[in-house]
Amino acid sequence: MNFENFHKPVLLKEVLYYLNSKDGDIIFDGTLGGAGHTIEIIKAIAPTGKIIGVDLDSQALSTAAHKLKNFTDNVILVKDNFANVESILEKLKIKKINGFFLDLGISSNQIEKSGRGFSYVRDERLDMRFNDSSSLSACSVLNEYAEDKLKEIFYKYGEERWAPRIAKNIVSYRNTKKIKYTGELVDIIRRSVPSYYKNRRKGHPAKRIFQALRIEVNKELESLNKALDRGFELLEGGGRMVTISYHSLEDRIVKEKFIGFSGRCTCPPEFPVCKCGARKRAEIITKKVVRPLQSEINENPRAKSAKLRALEKLK
Ligand SMILES: C[S@@+](CC[C@H](N)C(=O)[O-])C[C@H]1O[C@@H](n2cnc3c(N)ncnc32)[C@H](O)[C@@H]1O
């Protein structure tokens, strides 16, 4: 078993500050990863608190178990989807939590070492599943989805303007040969994006398509929506919800949910009275989204796109 951990936790001080945990608290950490945040949260809730560390990825759970081997009284590790927060806690006979934390997306360990095709700079099998027992992989999406469906996910989850050309070229490639490797996909994308545009564009030409595929394979946005709703209901009054997102689609979901929990009316301005049933149930404690300092980005470039938001549930 390989317990190497490359992942540096992002916005660590800020996470601890906004979670504001104390001895005895029960915290739900839905994205355990390499346990970088988890181990520091444990120090805040010890000796009597508990953290429930959840991940879909068996490799992440092994790395975390190794790292947390001296804290077994304070941690419960669970292989599951964070969207199932309700059933996870029910099985553990935990009724309420004091903190709910999500550090979304993918870890450096998964990009660098999993061999599952998360990176466009490596030639690996197209897999992209967090959960190795799930049936949908990047390979099945690319080889089985209709052209229109591919175009739709590339637009929706990758905000990729060349989605139609890329989808068309994927379909014509797979008519002769199954697409199995990230290198093949990167070549198709390179051929589909006009060179004048490729040169002006920031970042790798395959970045948006890889993001779109990962979101589709892991149903990431559905899980996030469900987790925020269910997690909020399970928070104790005075409990905190803290999230870190890495792209605009995730951040928009978190922002809108938080606005909803804080009771801001979302009716169209032409409505004379509120019909959306807005009710203030939480205070957003990050009035502006929290971004990493340049010094953190210099040390950990992965932190660059991170956005932290936090709220406190009313008592
Ligand atoms: C950014 S990493 C977390 C890193 C961690 N905070 C640390 O500092 O080591 C995100 C982790 O969440 C996991 N993950 C993503 N979506 C998930 C979901 N719906 N349910 C459970 N785990 C998920 C991924 O497998 C990955 O290990």
Side-chain angles (χ1 to χ4, degrees), residues 19 21-29 41 45 48-52 74 76 89 92-101 234-236 239-240:
L19 270 178
S21 310
K22 56 183 183 321
D23 180 17
D25 277 357
I26 302 178
I27 309 292
F28 182 89
D29 175 357
I41 299 170
I45 60 170
T48 62
K50 277 243 184 307
I51 189 158
I52 299 96
N74 302 101
I76 303 169
L89 295 180
L92 297 170
K93 302 198 181 345
I94 295 173
K95 291 207 166 58
K96 288 282 177 190
I97 50 179
N98 308 98
F100 178 94
F101 173 56
L234 291 156
L235 262 188
E236 195 81 80
R240 301 253 176 122

Side-chain angles (χ1 to χ4, degrees), residues 92-152:
L92 297 170
K93 302 198 181 345
I94 295 173
K95 291 207 166 58
K96 288 282 177 190
I97 50 179
N98 308 98
F100 178 94
F101 173 56
L102 294 180
D103 175 22
L104 295 163
I106 187 170
S107 70
S108 309
N109 301 348
Q110 287 166 321
I111 298 174
E112 307 291 331
K113 284 279 152 193
S114 72
R116 273 177 271 163
F118 288 113
S119 165
Y120 37 75
V121 299
R122 259 171 246 290
D123 197 17
E124 293 173 348
R125 284 188 89 83
L126 278 159
D127 182 326
M128 294 198 194
R129 290 171 304 165
F130 291 144
N131 180 0
D132 53 12
S133 42
S134 141
S135 56
L136 191 67
S137 69
C139 186
S140 51
V141 168
L142 287 166
N143 289 290
E144 289 163 25
Y145 276 24
E147 184 175 330
D148 275 354
K149 177 86 175 147
L150 286 173
K151 195 166 74 182
E152 185 194 320

Side-chain angles (χ1 to χ4, degrees), residues 5 7-10 12 29-38 54-57 60-61 67 78-84 101-110 116 118 129-131 218-220 223-224 227 244 246 302:
N5 188 10
H7 187 86
K8 286 200 187 94
V10 171
L12 178 58
D29 175 357
T31 50
L32 180 72
H37 291 100
T38 323
V54 175
D55 209 295
L56 276 170
D57 185 332
L61 283 153
K67 186 160 183 177
V78 181
K79 180 176 183 335
D80 205 332
N81 190 320
F82 55 59
N84 300 327
F101 173 56
L102 294 180
D103 175 22
L104 295 163
I106 187 170
S107 70
S108 309
N109 301 348
Q110 287 166 321
R116 273 177 271 163
F118 288 113
R129 290 171 304 165
F130 291 144
N131 180 0
N218 298 293
K219 305 287 177 217
E220 291 182 31
S223 292
L224 177 59
I244 306 177
Y246 295 88
R302 217 193 137 260

